[in-house]
Amino acid sequence: MTLWRRILVEKRSLIVPLALAIVANAGVYAFVVYPLGVKSAGAATRAARAAANLKAAEADYAAARALLAGTTRADQELQTFYGKVLPADFPSARRLTYTTIPDLAKKAGVRLTERRTDVDEQNTKRTGLSRLSIRVQLQGDYENFRQFLYSLESAPE
């Protein structure tokens, strides 16, 4: 009888329960602990993915709110431009320019020889706006003409 066989025979009462405990432990690990670990790792991955999706959704939401705020501000600025900056009708637009140009020319020492206004209503139906063209002929010195152009471009009207 070999040494190992003799130990197994004499210590069988301790070895058999120990071997059954090892097999049971391996079975519990293989059928309970390992699947739960895999499931837990999958849940952690899903949670990380959900957190990334949440951040992306929050960024999209913030961008959409900024776009909405920008659109609202642009609409308000357009309403201000149409209501307060642009003249309401043709007579008020003509009134703005009718006296302004001759007064500026007189102040700059330039003589106004001809003035003609035309209204182009080609885009009125599409945009609601008409184009007022003013054609003037001026006569004067170069420096006076430069002064007239500067005062015309810097005039608030």
Side-chain angles (χ1 to χ4, degrees), residues 19-84:
L20 287 176
I22 290 172
V23 169
N25 197 6
V28 168
Y29 178 78
F31 294 111
V32 177
V33 175
Y34 181 73
L36 286 177
V38 170
K39 189 175 182 182
S40 174
T45 303
R46 285 193 307 274
R49 205 176 305 134
N53 287 343
L54 176 65
K55 282 194 181 261
E58 287 173 346
D60 288 346
Y61 179 68
R65 288 196 59 147
L67 179 65
L68 179 64
T71 303
T72 304
R73 190 175 69 246
D75 286 342
Q76 290 171 347
E77 289 176 2
L78 276 175
Q79 290 302 325
T80 301
F81 180 72
Y82 286 139
K84 295 181 180 176

Side-chain angles (χ1 to χ4, degrees), residues 94-142:
R94 190 167 186 185
R95 194 172 332 120
L96 273 175
T97 60
Y98 192 76
T99 57
T100 305
I101 293 175
D103 288 345
L104 292 175
K106 191 177 203 180
K107 285 180 186 175
V110 177
R111 192 168 60 98
L112 182 70
T113 59
E114 181 185 342
R115 176 176 46 185
R116 186 174 39 180
T117 58
D118 294 321
V119 178
D120 181 13
E121 297 185 13
Q122 186 176 18
N123 293 326
T124 304
K125 291 181 182 177
R126 187 171 55 89
T127 62
L129 300 173
S130 298
R131 181 180 299 210
L132 174 65
S133 301
I134 300 171
R135 178 186 165 103
V136 292
Q137 279 187 340
L138 303 166
Q139 189 176 25
D141 294 337
Y142 179 75

